[in-house]
């Protein structure tokens, strides 16, 4: 008991904290060791076919083990699993499929623990704070859970709300989060030492960004402020609804907000029962998410179906009208859970706008330049081959919706991926601040829209929005045209001198042409030749030593022992040769 009669929630003792920390590290170490052996080492010694043979089953086993670990430990491990389950763009389907259940499989905390935390934060008993409080949670998340309640009379009169949802943190969650972040930081340090990872991404920096997001998510005062900022962004927009906050019953570990429960956004039967077309919901949802990222620069980073309701608008509401007549729909999208939000800086927002316009125009060169502008590609990256890949991608698959893409022969996707995988893999990528949250939000948006409408075409949603961005930034477009004209004039003025310099180099025999793919093949042939030579030397020394050993045991033994050196070179040259 503390001095005001409050009972502090029980924190994990040192032994349980250490055990949790060790379990996370043991899993990570085992997964990294298995991945290194099968995905890096075996292919480098010529056993790639053997490593690929059981790849799907191996990935499923890793995902199942993590699924079991996350459900057992809870805390941030659930968040990590939820994040991975939505990363269809970078993780194989064997992993994302196994982790999908983590979205809804979070065990609830017994009500006694929730009561203890809530009463300690509110300073009064639940019976005094609320007219009623349901012990059974309406939702259970990895960091807290939500209960329905009815405000007491005084709070009802002040807030204008009656039925509310009270979010309460899980007991001891701060200690659990600290432990999980310590383990993740250790794993990030390991990944920094893996060259194939460190060349592509700064793992420790990503862990720190995840840590910042997680610490903000367990501060309910921060979430309440996010909700009010989001509501202000969409004030007057009849498409979007946001629950009101009851500040008198809100603290760092408890959050009381208006109960806005309605039809889950992916509930097809529920939507059709009230005359709402799921396909129209998909189009409006995509537009609202684009507005958040590209217009307001403040977006919901966790827009999974459990966090979005479709709320029918009463017929008497003047804001509602027939969408067929060009008016607002007779419903609104109501967002909840503002713990995970993303900010987009003005510079990044401008780059993302240019990226969207490039995608809508199917302009591969402009797309690559916009990717460089937003900071995903380092300035030193040679993007010639990437531009060619994007141009071919748009030429073949541009304009297709998900339903049409499913009809494409998988061998065509595989051939395209094989042709350009080395291009993407060797480019120096870096992830700017909040970019992972943008990717997550857009990935979830695409998934929700496809669930609402299997024929949903993301291109159709992007094009009108990009056209509007062009109109809104007309002055910038004109400026860009002038800049491009000036650049072209500069190139034209420099062209005679550059041609003369080129001809001089040709005459002197100093011109060379670089073909990365050809150079890689030549290097591999040279490496193979060296390994074959080492193998031949090994065989000669071994056979010669075996023959001479009957005549001169000492000299024969020396030759047999010396054969180990070319053998080691033949086996390990591929490993060290590729690291250079």
């Amino acid at each position: 008991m503390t001095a005001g009669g409050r009972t502090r929630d029980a924190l994990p003792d040192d032994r349980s904290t250490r055990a949790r920390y060790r379990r996370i590290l043991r899993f990570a170490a085992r997964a990294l060791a298995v991945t290194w052996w099968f995905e890096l080492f075996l292919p480098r010694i010529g056993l790639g076919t053997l490593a690929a043979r059981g790849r799907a089953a191996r990935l499923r086993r890793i995902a199942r083990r993590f699924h079991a670990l996350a459900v057992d430990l809870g805390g941030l491990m659930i968040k990590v699993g939820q994040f991975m389950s939505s990363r269809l763009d970078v993780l194989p389907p064997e992993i994302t499929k196994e982790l999908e259940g983590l979205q809804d499989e979070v065990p609830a905390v017994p009500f006694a623990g929730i009561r203890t935390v809530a009463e300690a934060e509110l300073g009064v008993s639940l019976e005094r704070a609320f007219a009623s409080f349901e012990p059974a949670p309406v939702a259970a998340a990895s960091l807290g859970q939500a209960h329905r309640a009815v405000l007491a009379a005084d709070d009802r009169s002040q807030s204008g709300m009656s039925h509310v949802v009270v979010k309460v943190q899980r007991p001891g969650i701060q200690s659990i989060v600290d432990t999980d972040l310590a383990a993740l930081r250790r794993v990030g340090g390991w990944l920094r030492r893996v060259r194939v990872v460190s060349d592509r991404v700064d793992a420790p920096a990503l862990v720190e960004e995840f840590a910042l997001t997680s610490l903000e998510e367990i501060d309910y005062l921060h979430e309440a402020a996010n909700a009010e900022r989001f509501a202000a962004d969409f004030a007057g927009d009849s498409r979007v609804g946001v629950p009101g906050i009851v500040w008198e019953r809100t603290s760092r570990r408890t959050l009381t907000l208006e109960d806005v429960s309605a039809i889950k956004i992916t509930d097809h039967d529920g939507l059709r029962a009230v005359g709402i077309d799921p396909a129209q919901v998909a189009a409006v949802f995509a537009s609202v998410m684009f507005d958040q990222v590209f217009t307001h620069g403040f977006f919901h980073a966790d827009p999974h179906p459990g966090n979005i309701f479709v709320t029918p608008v009463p017929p008497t509401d003047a804001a509602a009208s027939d969408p067929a007549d060009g008016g607002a729909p007779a419903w609104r999208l109501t967002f909840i859970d503002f713990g995970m939000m993303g900010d987009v800086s003005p510079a990044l927002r401008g780059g993302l706008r240019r990226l969207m316009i490039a995608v809508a125009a199917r302009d591969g060169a402009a797309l690559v330049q916009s990717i460089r502008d937003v900071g995903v590609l380092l300035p030193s990256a040679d993007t010639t081959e990437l531009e060619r890949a994007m141009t071919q991608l748009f030429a073949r698959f541009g304009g297709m919706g998900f339903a049409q893409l499913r009809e494409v022969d998988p061998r065509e996707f595989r051939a395209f991926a094989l042709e350009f995988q080395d291009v993407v893999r060797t480019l120096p990528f870096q992830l700017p601040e909040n970019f992972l949250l943008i990717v997550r939000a857009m990935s979830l948006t695409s998934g929700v829209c496809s669930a609402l409408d299997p024929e949903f075409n993301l291109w159709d949603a992007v094009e009108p929005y990009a056209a509007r961005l062009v109109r809104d930034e007309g002055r910038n477009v004109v400026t860009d045209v002038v800049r491009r004209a000036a650049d072209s004039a500069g190139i034209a003025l420099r062209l005679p001198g550059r041609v003369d310099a080129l001809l001089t180099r040709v005459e002197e025999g100093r011109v060379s042409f670089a073909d990365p793919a050809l150079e890689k093949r030549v290097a591999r042939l040279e490496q193979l030749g060296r390994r074959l030579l080492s193998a031949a030397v090994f065989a000669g020394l071994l056979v010669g030593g075996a023959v001479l050993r009957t005549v001169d045991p000492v000299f024969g033994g020396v030759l047999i022992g010396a054969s180990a050196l070319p053998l080691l070179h033949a086996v390990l040259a591929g490993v060290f040769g590729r690291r250079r």
Side-chain angles (χ1 to χ4, degrees), residues 90 122 139 167 207 260 472 502:
V90 295
L122 298 174
K167 290 180 62 174
V207 171
V260 291
D472 291 345
L502 176 61

Side-chain angles (χ1 to χ4, degrees), residues 311-323:
T311 306
V313 176
T316 55
D317 192 329
S321 62
D322 187 355

Side-chain angles (χ1 to χ4, degrees), residues 285-439:
F285 176 59
S287 177
V288 168
M289 290 303 301
F290 289 153
D291 276 340
Q292 292 175 42
V293 175
F294 299 106
T295 301
H296 301 298
F298 184 66
F299 63 94
H300 199 301
D302 196 23
H304 66 76
N307 283 340
I308 307 153
F309 295 114
V310 177
T311 306
V313 176
T316 55
D317 192 329
S321 62
D322 187 355
D325 297 331
W331 46 268
R332 67 171 60 96
L333 294 171
T334 303
F335 288 78
I336 63 171
D337 193 352
F338 299 91
M340 186 184 297
M341 304 293 291
D343 269 304
V344 186
S345 66
L348 179 57
R349 197 184 317 166
L352 290 172
R353 286 177 174 175
R354 290 189 291 275
L355 188 150
M356 173 173 278
I357 294 170
V359 169
R362 318 307 201 252
D363 187 338
L367 175 62
V368 172
Q369 183 57 48
S370 64
I371 291 175
R372 191 194 294 273
D373 290 343
V374 299
V376 175
L377 281 174
L378 293 176
S380 60
D382 182 1
T383 58
T384 303
E385 285 297 304
L386 183 60
E387 289 180 11
R388 186 169 71 89
M390 292 299 99
T391 300
Q392 291 192 21
L393 176 68
F394 284 134
R396 176 61 187 90
F397 306 113
M400 289 187 177
F402 289 100
Q404 294 169 296
L405 289 174
R406 293 191 191 101
E407 302 299 323
V408 177
D409 189 340
R411 289 174 296 184
E412 188 170 353
F413 285 123
R414 193 177 301 115
F416 185 88
L418 289 174
E419 182 179 358
F420 294 104
Q421 64 179 353
D422 287 340
V423 175
V424 176
R425 188 177 299 154
T426 56
L427 285 173
F429 283 94
Q430 67 178 10
L431 295 173
E433 183 181 2
N434 259 332
F435 199 80
L436 270 181
L437 291 180
I438 296 173
V439 172

Side-chain angles (χ1 to χ4, degrees), residues 155-169:
D155 290 334
R156 283 202 302 269
S157 62
Q158 291 181 17
S159 66
M161 292 175 269
S162 176
H163 292 79
V164 295
V165 171
V166 184
K167 290 180 62 174
V168 184
Q169 280 186 12

Side-chain angles (χ1 to χ4, degrees), residues 121 161 204 220 229 238 283-284 307 324 342 347 355 400 503 527 534:
E121 288 294 303
M161 292 175 269
Y220 287 162
R229 177 180 172 185
S238 60
V284 173
N307 283 340
L355 188 150
M400 289 187 177
L503 292 174
Q527 183 184 6
S534 296

Side-chain angles (χ1 to χ4, degrees), residues 12 98 110-111 214 271 286 298 308 365 369 381 383 427 461 464 488 534 538 551:
E98 291 294 334
F111 182 64
S214 301
L271 292 173
F298 184 66
I308 307 153
Q369 183 57 48
T383 58
L427 285 173
S488 299
S534 296
F538 159 71
V551 180

